[in-house]
Amino acid sequence: MTDWPAPPVPGRRRHGVAIFARRGGKVVVSLLSVAILALTWYGWHFIGDPNTGLTTTNVFADTEAHAKPLDGAIDILLVGQDSRTDAQGNPLPREVLDMLHAGVSDGELNTDTMILVHIPQNGKHAIAISFPRDSWVELAGGYGKHKLNSAFVYAYTDTYKTLQRQGMTDLKQADAQAKVAGRKNLIATLEKFIGKPGMIDRYAEVNLASFYEITKSIGGVEVCLKGPVKEKKSGVDLPGGRQTIEGVQALAFVRQRYDLPNADLDRIARQQAFLSGLARKVISTDVLTSPSKIADLVSAVKKSVVVSQGWDLTEFAEQMRGLTGGNIEFHTIPTQGNAVIGGADVLRVDPAAVQAEVARLTFDGDAPATTAPAQAQLPGANAVTVDLFDGTGTPALATQTHTLLQGKGFTLPADQKLSTRATTVVRYNPADETALGLVKQVLGTSLQAEPDKDVAAGHVRVLLGKDFKAPADGPSTPQSTSLSTPSKPPVQTSTPPSSAPAAPPITAGDVPCVN
């Protein structure tokens, strides 16, 4: 019987340079997935049918339903998977792995990069939301609370062992079926975490294969560093400032985790900056007018990308034709700081805050932007629309306020961001003091109010400033102890939640400087 790698053991902790190299590989591989988006938007006509030659996976029970989302919007889960093979299962040459500091594969299958991309029905902009790998969440499948990046491996291991016990002797087939189970559990876990069951209708998974060739095929990607960096575990060695990187240094740029001020969160910022640069480069005239570059890029992508069955990339290209680089925006879910649970370093998250933020970011104008918690509604509030402008510098506070107002019955479109301002002010139509009074009942009677004829009747504009304090009856923030249960080890907080203003979102229309 052919030897086959043993299934991974969930939760095992390792240390050392080689281990970091393996984990770094898992992080960077998801960056290849942006090529699916960019290449299907533009230029497929140079190389023929994009659906030919791609590796697919059956991760949705009803492939046809997910191929054509009922709401018209497209929601894609992009996943980076640790693998030393290409999408077809062919092993990568040892010299390629050595060149990329990829280490030795030991069967670990945690997914260390997860990005949800939401594209509304009009196809004219995209929102990409990153989920930190160490987020402490409830896994689907009955596996309890663990790091988000273990959702795949728990289901994979469980399925792999079950198939062996049932007598399956074809271990390669068992591996393939276990991977499908892992993907399904990851999708279910994320949908449960964000409070949107059935939302995800596309899946794209990438691995280490061809990253080197992809970045070289398009002539590199422009990035910007706030200062020079040199770190031996990732192999990164780059000067500060704007520069074009490719191949080995591009991989090192997005792999580095150690010696960064904010550890994995800084690495996510690097990933987003690189993704924005990659998208910007792929949809540039330099690439789109070069059939040879497009052909090389598509060839590399097909070696490393796995997509969900039923995804018609030709149709997708038609839907996305109005997208431009500046309309691709990158965000990260709100987090509450580091903690130690059972000896493991994790990242604390508040599911309610995450759900509200994801709802806000994916709001397309035809439904409430957030799902408010059940609470007593204020009579008359349903006739008032509150336009919320966030100038607090603390996005979580605006999200909390949005959720509170909506829960009281007000109608709220998507929030708008302002430059940080000192004071909070409520602007209202002079002939509609009733609407002002209703808002003040929720946010406080002492708020500064200004009549403004430009505000339509039935609307109130709330401009939040740094002085704003959330009302006492607003949604509460769970304490760190809520992350544990009586049967689990206690939570030890190692880093308090950050109150620093959030950085503006990264878009594919600029070159942001990152740590």
Side-chain angles (χ1 to χ4, degrees), residues 109-457:
L109 291 171
N110 288 340
T111 50
D112 278 1
T113 301
M114 292 146 285
I115 302 174
L116 176 65
V117 178
H118 175 78
I119 305 168
Q121 190 171 8
N122 63 21
K124 293 184 178 180
H125 74 272
I127 296 292
I129 308 171
S130 293
F131 293 80
R133 65 174 199 162
D134 292 339
S135 301
W136 186 251
V137 303
E138 184 76 31
L139 302 186
Y143 296 106
K145 280 194 171 182
H146 298 279
K147 292 183 181 181
L148 178 59
N149 72 338
S150 65
F152 179 101
V153 70
Y154 272 96
Y156 173 94
T157 304
D158 193 12
T159 303
Y160 187 93
K161 291 181 177 179
T162 298
L163 291 172
Q164 284 190 304
R165 286 196 300 268
Q166 293 173 348
M168 181 176 285
T169 57
D170 186 339
L171 299 184
K172 189 170 185 179
Q173 182 182 356
D175 174 72
Q177 292 187 25
K179 284 180 178 176
V180 172
R183 292 161 183 156
K184 288 182 176 180
N185 199 58
L186 176 60
I187 292 170
T189 296
L190 268 171
E191 289 181 336
K192 180 178 181 179
F193 181 39
I194 64 178
K196 290 181 174 290
M199 175 184 184
I200 297 170
D201 42 57
R202 300 285 191 278
Y203 178 88
E205 176 185 299
V206 290
N207 53 45
L208 189 60
S210 301
F211 179 85
Y212 176 82
E213 289 83 359
I214 281 179
T215 55
K216 290 186 71 67
S217 70
I218 60 174
V221 171
E222 188 176 20
V223 298
C224 179
L225 282 167
K226 293 180 180 178
V229 292
K230 185 173 184 179
E231 195 270 325
K232 64 179 181 180
K233 293 181 179 179
S234 63
V236 66
D237 186 2
L238 294 168
R242 291 176 67 147
Q243 58 200 289
T244 298
I245 57 176
E246 63 181 53
V248 173
Q249 282 303 309
L251 179 59
F253 175 83
V254 293
R255 283 176 55 198
Q256 185 186 359
R257 184 185 184 197
Y258 295 99
D259 295 344
L260 289 174
N262 300 302
D264 197 49
L265 293 178
D266 275 342
R267 182 168 59 171
I268 286 176
R270 290 247 192 117
Q271 294 169 15
Q272 293 175 342
F274 189 88
L275 276 167
S276 70
L278 181 56
R280 186 170 56 252
K281 184 62 176 285
V282 171
I283 61 179
S284 69
T285 55
D286 179 52
V287 173
L288 296 181
T289 58
S290 173
S292 62
K293 286 186 177 180
I294 291 176
D296 289 345
L297 184 52
V298 169
S299 176
V301 167
K302 287 185 177 182
K303 291 179 183 178
S304 61
V305 176
V306 179
V307 299
S308 51
Q309 285 184 10
W311 187 349
D312 188 330
L313 297 182
T314 305
E315 181 182 66
F316 184 56
E318 178 66 16
Q319 293 171 323
M320 298 301 104
R321 67 184 184 276
L323 196 65
T324 62
N327 291 336
I328 308 172
E329 194 172 280
F330 296 84
H331 297 262
T332 303
I333 62 168
T335 60
Q336 295 185 321
N338 299 324
V340 178
I341 301 179
D345 295 324
V346 306
L347 190 62
R348 297 187 296 120
V349 290
D350 174 12
V354 171
Q355 289 172 15
E357 180 67 356
V358 170
R360 183 184 72 83
L361 292 172
T362 59
F363 172 59
D364 295 333
D366 56 355
T370 59
T371 302
Q375 52 184 295
Q377 294 199 349
L378 185 66
N382 60 348
V384 179
T385 297
V386 177
D387 299 303
L388 194 63
F389 294 81
D390 179 19
T392 63
T394 308
L397 181 58
T399 299
Q400 180 180 352
T401 306
H402 185 125
T403 302
L404 173 62
L405 287 166
Q406 185 178 309
K408 291 296 185 182
F410 293 96
T411 299
L412 281 90
D415 299 345
Q416 302 294 319
K417 292 189 180 295
L418 300 173
S419 299
T420 302
R421 53 182 289 130
T423 59
T424 299
V425 63
V426 180
R427 293 177 181 160
Y428 65 101
N429 187 292
D432 195 5
E433 293 194 358
T434 300
L436 170 66
L438 290 169
V439 171
K440 280 193 168 187
Q441 284 187 52
V442 178
L443 299 185
T445 57
S446 62
L447 286 179
Q448 178 182 343
E450 296 178 355
D452 188 339
K453 293 182 180 180
D454 290 336
V455 178

